[in-house]
Amino acid sequence: MSSVVQGARKVIFPDVEVDAIELRGDVTYLRVVLGRHVALMGLLALEPHVNGQVEVWIGAGGEVLRLQKGRVIGASGFPTEWRQVVLPAFPAWAAVAQATQSYEWARVRDVMPGYRSAVRDQLVLRSIAVPNRSAIRGYNPETLSWFEERAHPGREASPDLQTARYAVENDAGIETVVYAEQCLSRDVCFTWQHWYVALQHAARTASRR
């Protein structure tokens, strides 16, 4: 754990300073942008789960983000925290993209501060065209499949629920969410993406053009 924390020590720095950091080869990184702040988080553990393994990411300030197939299944150390999140099993992203109708599902979560227990969200997921604008860096957006997830119109959902977007990479049939835009509350929205040396170099090259 100390190795991961040391590798992600520059948690809240201006964008240019975080992106100037030389990444360590023994740390798997997540680049997180929250408002004007950019953070590097390191992969602490992969936890087995019946619906797919859970990635546990940690920041140098002790922030913990838990992701399952790209979705937030836990967040602590943020201004808004999600605890005890329950997600269903999901179809493959390719199946959602090929479907004629949006995929409907429900999420249940406990939220802090204020401890709102068993907040239930009815959501719809659909494939979308490559967006004109996103915060993704290093990737060619055209090579990825994009999805949008929003509150089901007319169904039960938290009033502060915001739309999420996901970018999925398909590598020889293996689907991986490599970028997402998500909100924990109306005022706590962030983007995250996989981050490693080749992407960092690609992003630097693109910024010089």
Side-chain angles (χ1 to χ4, degrees), residues 100-133:
T100 57
Q101 295 183 331
S102 299
Y103 177 74
E104 301 181 12
W105 65 284
R107 173 180 61 210
V108 180
R109 55 194 169 95
D110 295 344
V111 182
M112 293 285 286
Y115 193 67
R116 289 177 288 154
S117 179
V119 176
R120 185 177 179 84
D121 304 313
Q122 295 284 350
L123 304 164
V124 291
L125 173 68
R126 67 185 183 95
S127 175
I128 60 172
V130 178
N132 293 326
R133 297 181 62 184

Side-chain angles (χ1 to χ4, degrees), residues 123-172:
L123 304 164
V124 291
L125 173 68
R126 67 185 183 95
S127 175
I128 60 172
V130 178
N132 293 326
R133 297 181 62 184
S134 74
I136 196 167
R137 304 188 64 181
Y139 289 95
N140 177 359
E142 299 288 342
T143 67
L144 306 173
S145 299
W146 291 80
F147 298 84
E148 179 185 82
E149 199 166 70
R150 61 172 60 238
H152 193 300
R155 297 287 183 88
E156 180 182 11
S158 173
D160 62 356
L161 191 64
Q162 305 294 300
T163 299
R165 290 197 302 191
Y166 306 91
V168 179
E169 182 179 60
N170 190 318
D171 185 5

Side-chain angles (χ1 to χ4, degrees), residues 3-208:
S3 172
V4 173
V5 173
Q6 290 299 321
R9 183 57 66 184
K10 309 294 186 182
V11 169
I12 303 180
F13 260 39
D15 188 320
V16 63
E17 297 189 45
V18 165
D19 291 337
I21 295 171
E22 294 303 320
L23 303 181
R24 292 175 45 164
D26 61 340
V27 178
T28 301
Y29 290 96
L30 205 67
R31 183 179 185 274
V32 180
V33 181
L34 175 61
R36 298 175 60 184
H37 301 298
V38 183
L40 290 182
M41 304 186 79
L43 183 63
L44 177 63
L46 295 173
E47 298 179 346
H49 190 283
V50 65
N51 291 336
Q53 69 182 7
V54 176
E55 303 169 357
V56 183
W57 299 88
I58 187 168
E63 303 86 351
V64 176
L65 185 64
R66 298 163 62 85
L67 301 176
Q68 184 180 60
K69 297 183 179 179
R71 292 179 177 84
V72 175
I73 198 170
S76 61
F78 294 84
T80 298
E81 298 184 341
W82 284 11
R83 303 180 181 180
Q84 201 67 25
V85 181
V86 179
L87 304 180
F90 288 95
W93 293 96
V96 175
Q98 295 167 7
T100 57
Q101 295 183 331
S102 299
Y103 177 74
E104 301 181 12
W105 65 284
R107 173 180 61 210
V108 180
R109 55 194 169 95
D110 295 344
V111 182
M112 293 285 286
Y115 193 67
R116 289 177 288 154
S117 179
V119 176
R120 185 177 179 84
D121 304 313
Q122 295 284 350
L123 304 164
V124 291
L125 173 68
R126 67 185 183 95
S127 175
I128 60 172
V130 178
N132 293 326
R133 297 181 62 184
S134 74
I136 196 167
R137 304 188 64 181
Y139 289 95
N140 177 359
E142 299 288 342
T143 67
L144 306 173
S145 299
W146 291 80
F147 298 84
E148 179 185 82
E149 199 166 70
R150 61 172 60 238
H152 193 300
R155 297 287 183 88
E156 180 182 11
S158 173
D160 62 356
L161 191 64
Q162 305 294 300
T163 299
R165 290 197 302 191
Y166 306 91
V168 179
E169 182 179 60
N170 190 318
D171 185 5
I174 299 176
E175 298 178 321
T176 305
V177 179
V178 297
Y179 167 86
E181 303 168 3
Q182 297 168 320
C183 294
L184 300 178
S185 64
R186 183 177 298 277
D187 300 322
V188 183
C189 295
F190 61 96
T191 69
W192 64 258
Q193 73 167 86
H194 289 189
W195 196 238
Y196 48 85
V197 173
L199 284 178
Q200 186 183 56
H201 288 173
R204 287 174 178 172
T205 299
S207 66
R208 297 190 190 107

